[in-house]
Amino acid sequence: MSKTATSVDSETNNSTYRLNHALEAAQKQYTSKNPNSRNAFETAKNSLPGANTRSVLFYSPFPVTLKRARGALIEDIDGHAYQDFLGEYTAGLYGHSHPKIMAAISDALKKGLTLGGPTSSEAQYASLICKRFPAIERMRFCNSGTEANILALSSARAFTNRTDILVIDGSYHGGVLSFAGESPLNIPYPTHRIQFNDSEQAAKRIRAIGSKLAAVIIEPMIGAGGCIPGESEFLMTIREETSKTGALLIFDEVMTSRHGATGLHGMLDIRPDIVTLGKYLGGGLSFGAFGGRADIVDRFDPTKTNAWSHAGTFNNNILSMTAGFTGLNEVFTTKIADSFFIQGEQFRERLKSRLNRLGLPIHLTGMGSMMALHFSSTVPTFPYAPTPIQHKIYELIHLEMMHLGQFYARRGMINLSLPVTVDMCEEFCTALIKTLERFRSEITEALKI
Ligand SMILES: Cc1ncc(COP(=O)(O)O)c(C=O)c1O
């Protein structure tokens, strides 16, 4: 017999009653513990919309205002310290204030900023990046991951003399390239979407768009959309089909280039035509880069006739070039990158088995040092929009974890950084398990709907 709307409503209310109640209590506790952050939030609202200039940094009821950080510890303006398992959404790979990077930045400062000409720092860093990432024969710097992806897509359209792009539904490639829902701010490229990890659909769509398709842009592991690894058959299908139709394959490795010594494309042994980079590769400063096949990137060569022009006042800014180079050359060496990947895998497996023992509908997905929690009964294989109830669970667990001194992303993303120790990992796992156990019945009741 089908349920009436009223009986569904009252069942929903009953099953979320305890969750709502727990969330209200957690919000109250958080608000009373963070009066300075709350005031800072209220004041900043006068000039910044919602006190925010970077959408991802907002979480309800208001984010804590951060004061300083060192290693993998962060402090807010109310005097609380947190273990940093956010790692600045992967940009904070080196932790905060790595001494080698700090020394390199101070040295660079002494030589002067914004010199207005090429310096040896960009050439030195470009050479290291080209050696490190197998698909990058030639490259260019810019200032953010968003810019790198815009330039990669525009280059692909110019190179192929085609118009359309194909993206993964639910993916994120930057502030104006957001494909989770419909963003009115997106660049109006003619855009097609496919579901992540659906090889059959990918092949069909690439063939159907045919000679109009300039590029497919894809993260080999979806980052912001839930740390969901791409299945190798899926990625290989896209590689093969784009080659057949003459479209370019762009791997957005803004986050995933931290996986192993050669980035995720190197680890998977797939050769995209263009790779985009960002985040940690700026050594903690603003950064973006794109590179790939020499015959594509060489179109920017200003000594050639009809070269593509790509200016950018801060493309070669000395601080990002120096910090980025020192980080990759001296800290995140190929050896460290390989062992850091293994360390991440081991941490995820440990946490996963403890989560499994809880018997709750929770999954942990990811690769290496990047992972994400999902409150669902099945392991997600493509990005999805969380339901309002899942949002509430994420909020409850996040606020309670902050209460226990653990800092990670509201949406469940956890990123390791180099200074995170085994003891810190253990403390994080224990806090998470304790929190989930405490709210076991609220979660199970609410997710039964
Ligand atoms: C996969 C991916 N691409 C691109 C970007 C955009 O980089 P940026 O924030 O430096 O513009 C992000 C940022 O989170 C990202 O995760």
Side-chain angles (χ1 to χ4, degrees), residues 241-311:
E241 294 295 331
T242 45
S243 297
K244 278 190 213 155
T245 64
L248 300 188
L249 175 59
I250 303 169
F251 266 14
D252 176 345
E253 291 234 48
V254 165
M255 283 185 167
T256 58
S257 67
R258 60 161 51 200
H259 289 331
T262 54
L264 194 44
H265 73 276
M267 187 182 283
L268 298 171
D269 199 19
I270 298 177
R271 276 289 174 114
D273 302 295
I274 301 178
V275 176
T276 59
L277 303 170
K279 304 273 188 201
Y280 77 94
L281 285 164
L285 297 169
S286 56
F287 181 85
F290 63 102
R293 273 170 41 194
D295 62 323
I296 301 169
V297 187
D298 277 346
R299 297 290 294 272
F300 288 97
D301 180 347
T303 64
K304 305 258 166 69
T305 1
N306 297 327
W308 298 337
S309 169
H310 159 226

Coordinates of all heavy atoms in Angstrom, one line a residue, residues 241-311:
E241 N 39.0 7.0 -26.9 CA 37.9 7.6 -27.7 C 38.3 9.0 -28.1 O 38.0 9.5 -29.2 CB 36.6 7.6 -27.0 CG 36.0 6.2 -26.8 CD 35.6 5.5 -28.1 OE1 35.3 6.2 -29.1 OE2 35.7 4.2 -28.1
T242 N 38.9 9.8 -27.2 CA 39.3 11.1 -27.6 C 40.4 11.1 -28.7 O 40.4 11.9 -29.6 CB 39.9 12.0 -26.4 OG1 40.8 11.1 -25.7 CG2 38.8 12.4 -25.5
S243 N 41.3 10.1 -28.6 CA 42.3 10.0 -29.6 C 41.7 9.7 -31.0 O 42.1 10.3 -32.0 CB 43.3 8.9 -29.3 OG 44.0 9.2 -28.1
K244 N 40.7 8.9 -31.0 CA 40.0 8.5 -32.3 C 39.4 9.7 -32.9 O 39.4 9.9 -34.1 CB 39.0 7.4 -32.0 CG 39.5 6.0 -31.9 CD 38.4 5.0 -31.9 CE 38.8 3.8 -31.1 NZ 37.6 3.1 -30.5
T245 N 38.7 10.6 -32.1 CA 38.0 11.7 -32.7 C 38.8 12.9 -32.8 O 38.3 13.9 -33.3 CB 36.7 12.0 -31.8 OG1 37.2 12.5 -30.6 CG2 35.8 10.9 -31.6
G246 N 40.0 12.9 -32.3 CA 40.9 14.1 -32.4 C 40.6 15.2 -31.3 O 41.1 16.3 -31.4
A247 N 39.8 14.8 -30.3 CA 39.7 15.7 -29.2 C 40.8 15.6 -28.2 O 41.5 14.5 -28.2 CB 38.4 15.4 -28.5
L248 N 41.1 16.6 -27.5 CA 42.2 16.6 -26.5 C 41.7 16.1 -25.2 O 40.6 16.4 -24.8 CB 42.9 17.9 -26.3 CG 43.5 18.5 -27.6 CD1 44.3 19.8 -27.2 CD2 44.4 17.6 -28.4
L249 N 42.6 15.3 -24.5 CA 42.3 14.9 -23.1 C 43.0 15.7 -22.1 O 44.3 15.8 -22.2 CB 42.6 13.4 -22.9 CG 42.4 12.8 -21.5 CD1 41.0 13.0 -21.0 CD2 42.9 11.4 -21.5
I250 N 42.3 16.4 -21.3 CA 42.9 17.3 -20.2 C 42.7 16.6 -18.9 O 41.6 16.3 -18.5 CB 42.3 18.7 -20.2 CG1 42.4 19.4 -21.5 CG2 42.9 19.5 -19.1 CD1 41.5 20.6 -21.6
F251 N 43.8 16.3 -18.2 CA 43.7 15.8 -16.8 C 43.9 17.0 -15.9 O 45.0 17.6 -15.9 CB 44.8 14.7 -16.5 CG 44.3 13.3 -16.8 CD1 43.2 13.0 -17.5 CD2 45.1 12.2 -16.3 CE1 42.8 11.7 -17.7 CE2 44.7 10.9 -16.5 CZ 43.5 10.6 -17.2
D252 N 42.9 17.2 -15.1 CA 43.0 18.2 -14.0 C 43.7 17.6 -12.8 O 43.1 16.8 -12.1 CB 41.6 18.8 -13.7 CG 41.7 19.8 -12.6 OD1 42.7 19.9 -11.8 OD2 40.7 20.5 -12.4
E253 N 45.0 17.8 -12.7 CA 45.7 17.3 -11.5 C 46.1 18.3 -10.5 O 47.1 18.3 -9.8 CB 47.0 16.5 -12.1 CG 46.7 15.3 -12.9 CD 47.4 14.0 -12.3 OE1 47.4 13.8 -11.1 OE2 48.0 13.4 -13.2
V254 N 45.2 19.3 -10.4 CA 45.4 20.4 -9.5 C 45.5 19.8 -8.0 O 46.3 20.2 -7.2 CB 44.2 21.4 -9.6 CG1 44.2 22.4 -8.4 CG2 44.4 22.3 -10.8
M255 N 44.7 18.8 -7.8 CA 44.8 18.1 -6.5 C 45.6 16.8 -6.6 O 46.4 16.5 -5.7 CB 43.4 17.7 -6.0 CG 42.6 18.9 -5.4 SD 41.0 18.3 -4.7 CE 40.5 19.8 -3.8
T256 N 45.4 16.1 -7.6 CA 45.9 14.7 -7.6 C 47.4 14.6 -8.0 O 47.9 13.5 -8.0 CB 45.1 13.8 -8.6 OG1 45.2 14.4 -9.9 CG2 43.6 13.7 -8.1
S257 N 48.0 15.7 -8.4 CA 49.5 15.5 -8.8 C 50.3 15.2 -7.5 O 51.5 14.8 -7.7 CB 50.0 16.8 -9.4 OG 50.0 17.8 -8.4
R258 N 49.7 15.2 -6.4 CA 50.4 14.8 -5.1 C 50.5 13.3 -5.0 O 51.2 12.7 -4.1 CB 49.7 15.4 -3.9 CG 48.3 14.9 -3.7 CD 47.7 15.0 -2.3 NE 47.9 16.3 -1.7 CZ 47.8 16.5 -0.4 NH1 47.5 15.5 0.4 NH2 47.9 17.7 0.1
H259 N 49.8 12.6 -5.9 CA 49.7 11.1 -5.8 C 51.0 10.5 -6.4 O 51.1 10.4 -7.6 CB 48.5 10.5 -6.4 CG 47.2 10.8 -5.6 ND1 47.2 11.0 -4.2 CD2 45.9 10.9 -6.0 CE1 46.0 11.2 -3.8 NE2 45.2 11.2 -4.8
G260 N 51.9 10.1 -5.6 CA 53.1 9.4 -6.1 C 54.1 10.4 -6.7 O 53.8 11.6 -6.8
A261 N 55.2 9.8 -7.2 CA 56.3 10.7 -7.7 C 56.0 11.3 -9.0 O 56.6 12.3 -9.4 CB 57.5 9.8 -7.8
T262 N 55.0 10.8 -9.8 CA 54.8 11.3 -11.1 C 53.4 11.8 -11.3 O 52.9 11.9 -12.5 CB 55.1 10.2 -12.1 OG1 54.3 9.1 -11.8 CG2 56.6 9.8 -12.1
G263 N 52.6 12.1 -10.3 CA 51.2 12.5 -10.4 C 50.4 11.3 -10.7 O 50.9 10.2 -11.0
L264 N 49.1 11.5 -10.7 CA 48.2 10.3 -10.9 C 48.3 9.8 -12.3 O 48.2 8.6 -12.5 CB 46.8 10.6 -10.5 CG 45.8 9.5 -10.3 CD1 46.4 8.3 -9.5 CD2 44.5 9.9 -9.6
H265 N 48.5 10.7 -13.3 CA 48.6 10.1 -14.7 C 49.8 9.3 -14.8 O 49.8 8.3 -15.6 CB 48.5 11.3 -15.7 CG 49.8 12.1 -15.8 ND1 50.1 13.2 -15.0 CD2 50.9 12.0 -16.7 CE1 51.2 13.7 -15.3 NE2 51.7 13.0 -16.3
G266 N 50.9 9.6 -14.1 CA 52.1 8.8 -14.2 C 51.9 7.5 -13.5 O 52.3 6.4 -14.0
M267 N 51.2 7.5 -12.4 CA 51.0 6.3 -11.6 C 50.1 5.3 -12.4 O 50.3 4.1 -12.4 CB 50.3 6.7 -10.3 CG 50.1 5.5 -9.3 SD 49.2 6.1 -7.9 CE 50.5 6.9 -7.0
L268 N 49.1 5.9 -13.1 CA 48.1 5.1 -13.9 C 48.7 4.8 -15.3 O 48.1 4.0 -16.0 CB 46.8 5.8 -14.0 CG 46.0 6.1 -12.8 CD1 44.8 7.0 -13.0 CD2 45.6 4.8 -12.1
D269 N 49.8 5.4 -15.6 CA 50.4 5.2 -16.9 C 49.4 5.6 -18.1 O 49.3 4.8 -19.0 CB 50.9 3.7 -17.1 CG 51.9 3.6 -18.2 OD1 52.5 4.7 -18.6 OD2 52.1 2.5 -18.7
I270 N 48.8 6.7 -17.9 CA 47.9 7.3 -19.0 C 48.5 8.6 -19.4 O 48.9 9.4 -18.6 CB 46.5 7.5 -18.5 CG1 45.9 6.1 -18.0 CG2 45.6 8.1 -19.5 CD1 44.5 6.2 -17.4
R271 N 48.6 8.8 -20.7 CA 49.1 10.1 -21.2 C 48.0 11.0 -21.7 O 47.6 11.0 -22.8 CB 50.0 9.8 -22.4 CG 51.4 9.4 -22.1 CD 52.2 10.6 -21.6 NE 53.5 10.1 -21.2 CZ 54.7 10.4 -21.7 NH1 54.7 11.2 -22.8 NH2 55.8 9.9 -21.3
P272 N 47.6 12.0 -20.8 CA 46.7 13.0 -21.3 C 47.5 14.0 -22.2 O 48.7 14.0 -22.2 CB 46.2 13.7 -20.0 CG 47.3 13.4 -19.0 CD 48.0 12.1 -19.4
D273 N 46.7 14.8 -23.0 CA 47.4 15.7 -23.9 C 47.8 17.0 -23.1 O 48.9 17.6 -23.5 CB 46.5 16.1 -25.1 CG 46.0 14.9 -25.8 OD1 46.9 14.3 -26.5 OD2 44.8 14.5 -25.8
I274 N 47.0 17.3 -22.1 CA 47.3 18.5 -21.3 C 47.1 18.1 -19.8 O 46.1 17.3 -19.5 CB 46.4 19.7 -21.7 CG1 46.6 20.1 -23.1 CG2 46.7 20.9 -20.8 CD1 45.7 21.3 -23.6
V275 N 47.9 18.6 -19.0 CA 47.8 18.4 -17.5 C 47.7 19.8 -16.9 O 48.5 20.6 -17.2 CB 48.9 17.6 -16.9 CG1 48.8 17.5 -15.4 CG2 49.1 16.2 -17.6
T276 N 46.8 19.9 -15.9 CA 46.8 21.2 -15.2 C 47.2 21.0 -13.7 O 46.9 19.9 -13.2 CB 45.4 21.9 -15.2 OG1 44.4 21.0 -14.7 CG2 45.0 22.2 -16.6
L277 N 47.8 22.0 -13.2 CA 48.4 21.9 -11.8 C 48.1 23.1 -11.0 O 47.7 24.1 -11.5 CB 50.0 21.8 -11.9 CG 50.5 20.6 -12.8 CD1 52.0 20.9 -12.9 CD2 50.3 19.3 -12.2
G278 N 48.2 23.0 -9.7 CA 47.9 24.1 -8.8 C 48.2 23.7 -7.4 O 49.1 22.9 -7.1
K279 N 47.5 24.3 -6.4 CA 47.5 24.0 -5.0 C 49.0 23.9 -4.4 O 49.7 24.9 -4.5 CB 46.8 22.7 -4.8 CG 45.3 22.7 -5.3 CD 44.4 23.2 -4.2 CE 43.0 23.0 -4.7 NZ 42.0 23.9 -4.0
Y280 N 49.4 22.8 -3.9 CA 50.6 22.6 -3.1 C 51.8 23.0 -4.0 O 52.9 23.3 -3.4 CB 50.8 21.2 -2.6 CG 51.2 20.2 -3.6 CD1 52.6 19.9 -3.8 CD2 50.3 19.6 -4.5 CE1 53.0 19.0 -4.8 CE2 50.7 18.7 -5.5 CZ 52.1 18.4 -5.6 OH 52.5 17.5 -6.6
L281 N 51.7 23.0 -5.3 CA 52.9 23.2 -6.1 C 53.3 24.7 -6.1 O 54.4 25.1 -6.6 CB 52.6 22.8 -7.6 CG 52.7 21.2 -7.7 CD1 52.1 20.8 -9.0 CD2 54.2 20.7 -7.6
G282 N 52.5 25.5 -5.4 CA 53.0 26.9 -5.1 C 53.7 27.0 -3.8 O 54.0 28.1 -3.4
G283 N 53.9 25.9 -3.1 CA 54.6 25.9 -1.9 C 53.9 26.7 -0.8 O 54.5 27.2 0.1
G284 N 52.6 26.9 -0.9 CA 51.8 27.7 0.0 C 51.4 29.1 -0.5 O 50.7 29.8 0.1
L285 N 51.9 29.4 -1.7 CA 51.5 30.7 -2.3 C 50.7 30.4 -3.5 O 50.5 29.3 -4.0 CB 52.8 31.4 -2.7 CG 53.7 31.8 -1.5 CD1 55.0 32.3 -1.9 CD2 53.0 32.8 -0.6
S286 N 50.1 31.5 -4.1 CA 49.1 31.3 -5.2 C 49.9 30.8 -6.4 O 51.0 31.2 -6.8 CB 48.4 32.6 -5.5 OG 49.3 33.6 -5.8
F287 N 49.2 29.8 -7.1 CA 49.9 29.1 -8.1 C 48.9 28.4 -9.1 O 47.8 27.9 -8.7 CB 50.8 28.0 -7.5 CG 51.6 27.2 -8.5 CD1 52.8 27.6 -8.9 CD2 51.1 26.0 -8.9 CE1 53.5 26.9 -9.9 CE2 51.8 25.2 -9.9 CZ 53.0 25.7 -10.3
G288 N 49.3 28.3 -10.3 CA 48.6 27.5 -11.3 C 49.6 27.2 -12.4 O 50.5 28.0 -12.6
A289 N 49.4 26.1 -13.1 CA 50.2 25.8 -14.3 C 49.5 24.8 -15.2 O 48.6 24.1 -14.7 CB 51.6 25.2 -13.8
F290 N 49.9 24.9 -16.5 CA 49.3 23.9 -17.4 C 50.5 23.5 -18.3 O 51.3 24.3 -18.6 CB 48.1 24.4 -18.1 CG 48.3 25.6 -19.0 CD1 48.4 25.4 -20.4 CD2 48.4 26.8 -18.4 CE1 48.6 26.5 -21.2 CE2 48.6 28.0 -19.3 CZ 48.7 27.8 -20.6
G291 N 50.4 22.3 -18.8 CA 51.5 21.8 -19.7 C 51.1 20.6 -20.4 O 50.0 20.0 -20.1
G292 N 51.9 20.1 -21.2 CA 51.6 18.8 -21.9 C 52.4 18.7 -23.2 O 53.6 19.0 -23.2
R293 N 51.7 18.2 -24.2 CA 52.4 17.9 -25.5 C 53.1 19.1 -26.0 O 52.5 20.2 -26.1 CB 51.3 17.4 -26.5 CG 51.0 16.0 -26.5 CD 49.8 15.6 -27.4 NE 49.8 16.3 -28.6 CZ 48.7 16.3 -29.4 NH1 47.6 15.6 -29.0 NH2 48.6 16.9 -30.6
A294 N 54.3 19.0 -26.5 CA 55.1 20.1 -26.9 C 54.4 20.8 -28.1 O 54.4 22.0 -28.3 CB 56.5 19.7 -27.3
D295 N 53.8 20.0 -29.0 CA 53.2 20.6 -30.2 C 52.0 21.5 -29.9 O 51.7 22.4 -30.7 CB 52.8 19.5 -31.3 CG 51.8 18.6 -30.8 OD1 51.8 18.2 -29.6 OD2 50.9 18.2 -31.5
I296 N 51.4 21.2 -28.7 CA 50.3 22.1 -28.3 C 50.9 23.3 -27.6 O 50.6 24.5 -28.0 CB 49.3 21.4 -27.4 CG1 48.7 20.1 -28.1 CG2 48.2 22.3 -26.9 CD1 48.0 19.2 -27.2
V297 N 51.6 23.1 -26.6 CA 52.1 24.2 -25.7 C 53.1 25.1 -26.5 O 53.1 26.3 -26.2 CB 52.7 23.7 -24.4 CG1 53.0 24.8 -23.4 CG2 51.8 22.7 -23.7
D298 N 53.8 24.6 -27.5 CA 54.7 25.5 -28.2 C 53.9 26.5 -29.1 O 54.6 27.4 -29.6 CB 55.5 24.6 -29.2 CG 56.8 24.0 -28.4 OD1 57.0 24.5 -27.3 OD2 57.4 23.1 -29.0
R299 N 52.6 26.4 -29.1 CA 51.9 27.4 -29.9 C 52.0 28.8 -29.1 O 51.6 29.8 -29.7 CB 50.4 27.0 -30.0 CG 50.2 25.7 -30.9 CD 50.6 26.0 -32.3 NE 49.6 26.9 -33.0 CZ 48.5 26.5 -33.6 NH1 48.2 25.2 -33.6 NH2 47.7 27.4 -34.1
F300 N 52.4 28.7 -27.9 CA 52.6 30.0 -27.1 C 54.0 30.6 -27.4 O 54.3 31.7 -26.8 CB 52.4 29.7 -25.6 CG 51.0 29.4 -25.2 CD1 50.6 28.1 -25.0 CD2 50.2 30.5 -24.9 CE1 49.3 27.9 -24.6 CE2 48.8 30.2 -24.5 CZ 48.4 28.9 -24.4
D301 N 54.8 30.0 -28.1 CA 56.2 30.5 -28.4 C 56.2 31.8 -29.1 O 55.8 31.9 -30.2 CB 56.9 29.4 -29.2 CG 58.4 29.8 -29.5 OD1 58.7 31.0 -29.3 OD2 59.1 28.9 -29.9
P302 N 56.6 32.9 -28.3 CA 56.4 34.2 -28.9 C 57.4 34.5 -30.1 O 57.3 35.5 -30.7 CB 56.7 35.2 -27.7 CG 57.5 34.3 -26.8 CD 57.1 32.9 -27.0
T303 N 58.4 33.6 -30.3 CA 59.3 33.8 -31.4 C 58.7 33.3 -32.7 O 59.3 33.5 -33.8 CB 60.7 33.1 -31.2 OG1 60.4 31.7 -31.1 CG2 61.3 33.5 -29.9
K304 N 57.6 32.7 -32.6 CA 56.9 32.1 -33.8 C 55.8 33.1 -34.3 O 55.2 33.8 -33.5 CB 56.3 30.7 -33.5 CG 57.3 29.7 -32.9 CD 57.7 28.7 -34.0 CE 58.9 27.9 -33.5 NZ 58.6 27.0 -32.4
T305 N 55.6 33.0 -35.6 CA 54.5 33.8 -36.2 C 53.2 33.2 -35.7 O 53.0 32.0 -35.5 CB 54.5 33.8 -37.7 OG1 55.5 32.9 -38.2 CG2 54.5 35.1 -38.4
N306 N 52.2 34.1 -35.5 CA 50.9 33.7 -35.0 C 50.9 33.0 -33.7 O 50.0 32.1 -33.5 CB 50.1 32.9 -36.1 CG 49.9 33.6 -37.4 OD1 49.7 34.8 -37.3 ND2 50.0 33.0 -38.5
A307 N 51.8 33.3 -32.9 CA 51.8 32.6 -31.6 C 50.6 33.1 -30.8 O 50.2 34.2 -30.9 CB 53.1 33.0 -30.8
W308 N 50.1 32.1 -29.9 CA 49.0 32.5 -29.0 C 49.6 33.4 -27.9 O 50.7 33.1 -27.4 CB 48.4 31.3 -28.3 CG 47.8 30.3 -29.3 CD1 47.3 30.5 -30.5 CD2 47.5 28.9 -29.0 NE1 46.8 29.4 -31.0 CE2 46.9 28.4 -30.1 CE3 47.8 28.1 -27.9 CZ2 46.5 27.0 -30.2 CZ3 47.4 26.8 -27.9 CH2 46.8 26.2 -29.1
S309 N 48.9 34.4 -27.5 CA 49.4 35.3 -26.5 C 48.7 34.9 -25.1 O 47.5 34.7 -25.1 CB 49.0 36.7 -26.8 OG 49.3 37.5 -25.7
H310 N 49.6 34.8 -24.1 CA 49.1 34.5 -22.8 C 49.9 35.3 -21.8 O 51.0 34.9 -21.4 CB 49.1 33.0 -22.5 CG 49.2 32.7 -21.0 ND1 50.0 31.8 -20.4 CD2 48.4 33.1 -20.0 CE1 49.8 31.7 -19.2 NE2 48.8 32.5 -18.8
A311 N 49.4 36.5 -21.5 CA 50.1 37.3 -20.5 C 49.6 37.0 -19.1 O 48.9 36.0 -19.0 CB 49.9 38.8 -20.8

